[in-house]
Amino acid sequence: MDSDYKAAEQEVLERLDSLSSVPTLQGALGRLLGWVDTLFTVLAVLALLAIAGTVLLQISARLFLPFSVSWTEELSRYLFIYMVALSAGVVLRQHRNVSVELFHHHLGPRARAAYQALICLLIAGFAGLVLPYAWQYAQNGAWQTSPTLKIPMLYIFFSTVVMFALLLVYGAIGFLEGLVAIFRSPERTASEKP
């Protein structure tokens, strides 16, 4: 029953996103990456739940209290920034980012893998170029504090470092997965599908 569900899920994913047919890394490394994906997904979901709680507190305070809570808008903004930063790598690895699919479904398995490798290489290269500047940007916040929460802006600006570092790492992983899929034998790729 579980294998039928996974096979149906994989088929639906392939119809929606042709790049999901590129096999991911297997073995201990694949399990470790799956755990890391889960960790960053959970952190992003916790940030989203915290945003919802903060906004509900803001609305409740405006409706039911004689005063409004001033820090909720600022906190929800910072949580949103970190939610995006923490989920950027996982979104890239799962091919859930915005893309235009004009020709992906016409490509064969090796061409899809080559396309994934190229796109991930470009993203990782861009992230690698921007990462030192993101660190410089984050350091600018060391002498500033947020207006209402009074926390150092270094922590908020550091979200750019987190995002580009994750894009660099996940871009390299996607490039590696694409290369492995290119050089994998076609019989092995077909037999590994659930």
Side-chain angles (χ1 to χ4, degrees):
M1 178 78 173
D2 190 42
S3 63
D4 292 339
Y5 175 76
K6 288 190 183 243
E9 180 184 24
Q10 183 67 26
E11 184 181 330
V12 168
L13 282 176
E14 285 181 22
R15 275 195 233 137
L16 291 175
D17 178 20
S18 58
L19 290 180
S20 66
S21 64
V22 176
T24 58
L25 295 174
Q26 303 296 317
L29 183 58
R31 286 190 299 276
L32 176 65
L33 289 174
W35 183 82
V36 171
D37 289 351
T38 302
L39 172 69
F40 284 115
T41 302
V42 166
L43 289 173
V45 168
L46 288 175
L48 179 63
L49 291 174
I51 291 170
T54 304
V55 170
L56 284 174
L57 175 65
Q58 183 179 31
I59 292 169
S60 300
R62 286 183 181 179
L63 291 175
F64 303 116
L65 296 177
F67 58 91
S68 65
V69 185
S70 62
W71 52 267
T72 54
E73 183 179 342
E74 187 175 304
L75 179 61
S76 63
R77 191 176 329 134
Y78 298 153
L79 287 168
F80 179 75
I81 290 168
Y82 264 97
M83 179 188 69
V84 170
L86 291 169
S87 62
V90 178
V91 167
L92 175 64
R93 184 156 191 257
Q94 295 179 356
H95 311 291
R96 298 295 181 255
N97 46 348
V98 176
S99 65
V100 179
E101 294 188 14
L102 298 175
F103 58 87
H104 300 103
H105 58 283
H106 294 298
L107 298 175
R110 288 183 198 264
R112 287 179 187 167
Y115 178 76
Q116 175 181 317
L118 175 66
I119 294 299
C120 287
L121 180 65
L122 291 173
I123 290 172
F126 177 75
L129 287 172
V130 173
L131 191 56
Y133 299 105
W135 177 247
Q136 288 176 354
Y137 172 70
Q139 289 177 328
N140 288 337
W143 52 272
Q144 299 174 359
T145 58
S146 65
T148 57
L149 292 173
K150 302 297 183 207
I151 58 173
M153 289 302 289
L154 171 71
Y155 300 124
I156 308 307
F157 293 170
F158 191 73
S159 64
T160 58
V161 176
V162 170
M163 183 178 71
F164 286 114
L166 287 174
L167 285 174
L168 176 64
V169 170
Y170 275 97
I173 291 168
F175 175 71
L176 181 63
E177 287 176 341
L179 282 183
V180 168
I182 290 170
F183 296 112
R184 182 175 280 170
S185 67
E187 304 85 35
R188 189 170 167 202
T189 303
S191 67
E192 287 179 355
K193 284 191 175 183

